């Protein structure tokens, strides 16, 4: 039997739910009842396990929305269904955003609830079967926390916006990663690639999706065999479909070395043994703290790219015999990023030539620079949805040095940059005004979420400064003022419902709290939210 918790401040509603459904016949048992979110959390802590929660949204002490957030953070496997008397988009959006599995209107229709319970029971049975068979890796793939952790790492690795770091750190804390993904830890990234001997998959393509899934699952299961697996995570970058990467946290560099050596050997052995293919392991250099995540990922890619071509198992470690890079590389990369953002081909070319042609620079450092330039160009191209085949080809281990690591690479890199810049210029020329309309539409639909100019600019492939100027020119309003106006307009609509608390309205329209909403509302309308509510409710004013 799956355990169910009923949460509603009205006893009649809870009693009606118990009598309306044949719970045992559907495979459920009522494990408890609560009259508000706080009482429900206390029961969850005491009972230790609950498979399903049916909760109202609007309750005293702790609302259903807050209960949803607490469950998402502390009980991610517990499914939550929201019941409400409000047939309102704002409630639906907020509930689903907070992690609700579904949403039903009161009074609850027996047939609708029964159908939903049957569907949820099937999901629970699949998850329980996965746990019973020990297939924890497959279950983890279906869990939102694992997906969110992977997305967080990829954003951290792929981004260069320092203003996003505090938000990323907060997200890491929310996903319970801050215990090992922090500035005091020694971190290291290892990349694993499978290589198929001729005829290994018969007539099937080497990029078989099923085979890739098996490979990635094996990597995750291999990591879980170590005692320190709670301080590590396997993730997959979409740019390298035949690979899986693992980030490992250690208390010191000596322990990091031991863990990397053990992980590399076991990954290689397991891929050889269970998949009957060869494995190439690229071990990146250790780094301290999250500020080095991007560099650490590139270091692992560099080690992998230096492997011998062909289906030969090997472990390659980055940094062997290489001089310290010093300050020139990150500074050059900043100038290149600025040149691409501003579609300045001349500045890009000058920076590339100065970096590659400098005297006394070790050839391996130049090779690492070339790799980073291609990754940077590829990253910008992806943001703008441009296709640059050369960037992907360059990163293949057996083609990485085809164009040389010195002066021969200059025209090649400039050619890639020219393709990216051409695409950026074209998109800005034809898509500026339409991008503003798309941005306004996004704000109108997503005002309840956190919306920043940089985030929106990245979403629509525009420079933030350019989008800000274009937005003001097109709408006559600044970006932040427009967002505030939309949120206040929605808040004014919701104030027409006398039963809604100001705190709930603030949360539904995107304000941090009721106090801040009141301050901004009065500044804009000249009256407080309560005065506004009384005004629209007065019969004399209708």
């Amino acid at each position: 039997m799956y355990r169910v918790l009923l949460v509603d401040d009205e006893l009649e509603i809870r009693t009606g739910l118990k009598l309306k459904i044949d719970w045992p016949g559907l495979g459920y048992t009522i494990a408890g009842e609560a009259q508000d979110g706080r009482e429900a959390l206390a029961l969850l802590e005491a009972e230790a396990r609950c498979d399903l929660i049916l909760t109202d949204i609007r309750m005293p002490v702790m609302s259903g929305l807050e209960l949803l957030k607490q469950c998402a953070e502390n009980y991610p496997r517990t499914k939550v269904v929201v019941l409400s008397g409000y047939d309102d988009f704002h409630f639906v959006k907020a509930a689903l955003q907070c992690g609700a599995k579904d949403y039903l209107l009161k009074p609850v229709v027996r047939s609708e609830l029964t159908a939903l319970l049957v569907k949820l029971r099937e999901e629970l049975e699949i998850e329980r079967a996965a746990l019973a068979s020990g297939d924890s890796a497959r279950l983890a793939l279906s869990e939102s926390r694992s997906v969110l952790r992977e997305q967080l790492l990829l954003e951290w690795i792929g981004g260069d916006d320092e203003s996003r770091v505090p938000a990323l750190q907060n997200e890491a804390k929310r996903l319970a990663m801050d215990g090992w993904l922090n500035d005091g830890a020694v971190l290291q990234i290892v990349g694993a690639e499978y290589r198929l001997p001729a005829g290994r998959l018969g007539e099937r393509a080497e990029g078989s999706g099923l085979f890739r899934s098996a490979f990635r699952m094996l990597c995750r299961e291999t990591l879980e065999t170590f005692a320190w697996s709670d301080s590590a995570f396997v993730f997959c970058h979409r740019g390298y479909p035949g690979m899986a990467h693992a980030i490992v946290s250690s208390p010191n560099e000596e322990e990091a070395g031991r863990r990397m050596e053990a992980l590399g050997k076991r990954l290689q052995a397991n891929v050889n043994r269970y998949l009957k293919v060869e494995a190439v392991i690229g071990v990146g250099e250790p780094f301290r703290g999250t500020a080095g995540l991007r560099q650490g990922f590139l270091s692992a890619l560099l080690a992998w790219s230096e492997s011998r071509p062909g289906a030969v198992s090997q472990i390659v470690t980055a940094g062997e015999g290489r001089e310290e890079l010093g300050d020139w590389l990150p500074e050059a990369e900043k100038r290149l990023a600025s040149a691409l953002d501003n579609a300045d081909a001349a500045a890009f070319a000058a920076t590339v030539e100065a970096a590659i042609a400098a005297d006394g620079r070790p050839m391996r450092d130049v090779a690492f620079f070339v790799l980073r330039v291609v990754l940077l160009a590829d990253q910008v191209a992806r943001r703008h949805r441009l296709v640059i085949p050369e960037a992907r080809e360059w990163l293949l281990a057996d083609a990485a040095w085809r164009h040389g690591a010195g002066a021969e690479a200059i025209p090649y890199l400039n050619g890639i940059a020219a393709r990216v810049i051409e695409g950026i210029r074209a998109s800005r020329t034809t898509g500026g005004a339409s991008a503003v309309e798309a941005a306004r539409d996004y704000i109108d639909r997503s005002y309840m979420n956190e919306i920043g100019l940089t985030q929106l600019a990245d979403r629509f492939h525009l420079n933030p400064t350019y989008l800000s100027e274009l937005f003001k020119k097109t709408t006559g309003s600044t970006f932040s003022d427009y967002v505030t106006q939309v949120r206040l307009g929605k808040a004014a609509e919701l104030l027409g419902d006398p039963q809604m608390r100001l705190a709930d309205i603030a949360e539904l329209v995107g304000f941090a709290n009721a106090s801040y909403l009141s301050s901004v509302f009065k500044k804009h309308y000249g009256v407080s939210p309560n005065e506004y509510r009384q005004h629209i409710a007065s019969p004399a004013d209708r």
Side-chain angles (χ1 to χ4, degrees), residues 305-306 370-371 393-405 412:
S305 71
E306 293 178 329
V370 171
L371 177 64
E393 179 185 341
W394 179 275
L395 296 174
L396 296 176
D398 58 354
W401 314 117
R402 182 181 301 166
H403 299 276
Y412 183 72

Side-chain angles (χ1 to χ4, degrees), residues 95-275:
L96 296 178
Q97 181 186 357
C98 291
K101 290 295 295 183
D102 216 319
Y103 184 98
L104 293 176
L105 291 176
K106 295 180 181 178
V108 176
V109 178
R110 178 185 287 109
S111 59
E112 292 181 357
L113 179 56
T114 299
L116 178 57
L117 290 172
V118 170
K119 183 185 76 170
L120 293 176
R121 185 189 64 201
E122 292 174 353
E123 293 182 11
L124 288 166
E125 287 173 349
I126 292 173
E127 293 174 7
R128 180 171 288 185
L131 284 172
S133 66
D135 192 3
S136 56
R138 187 183 300 276
L139 179 60
L141 285 172
S142 68
E143 293 178 343
S144 61
R145 179 169 291 192
S146 178
V147 174
L148 291 173
R149 284 178 170 179
E150 182 172 76
Q151 291 174 347
L152 174 65
L153 281 172
L154 292 177
E155 181 177 357
W156 220 322
I157 287 167
D160 54 6
D161 184 0
E162 294 183 0
S163 66
R164 287 281 298 147
V165 171
L168 294 174
Q169 290 173 334
N170 289 335
E171 184 69 3
K173 184 176 181 179
R174 191 181 73 83
L175 295 173
M177 301 170 71
D178 57 315
W180 56 272
L181 188 63
N182 56 63
D183 291 338
V186 175
L187 302 170
Q188 203 162 1
I189 296 177
V190 58
E193 176 201 19
Y194 67 85
R195 292 190 186 171
L196 298 166
R200 169 65 179 84
L201 295 182
E203 297 180 355
R204 287 175 291 175
E206 293 192 358
S208 165
L210 289 176
F211 195 87
R212 282 199 302 268
S213 297
F215 169 72
R216 292 170 178 177
M217 189 179 299
L218 180 60
C219 289
R220 291 186 169 93
E221 291 176 346
T222 299
L223 182 63
E224 290 175 356
T225 62
F226 290 96
W228 39 263
S229 61
D230 288 342
S231 298
F233 186 76
V234 171
F235 63 96
C236 300
H237 193 293
R238 63 181 181 180
Y240 312 98
M243 297 186 71
H245 288 85
I247 179 171
V248 178
S249 176
S250 305
N252 53 63
E253 289 198 15
E254 184 178 355
E255 177 62 20
R258 285 195 291 267
R259 291 182 179 184
M260 281 292 104
E261 181 179 6
L263 177 59
K265 289 181 178 179
R266 194 171 298 181
L267 275 173
Q268 189 175 82
N270 285 351
V271 171
N272 294 161
R273 178 181 178 184
Y274 296 109
L275 299 181

Side-chain angles (χ1 to χ4, degrees), residues 371-382:
L371 177 64
R372 288 184 66 136
V373 172
V374 177
L375 286 169
L376 178 65
D378 187 54
Q379 177 187 340
V380 174
R382 286 176 182 278

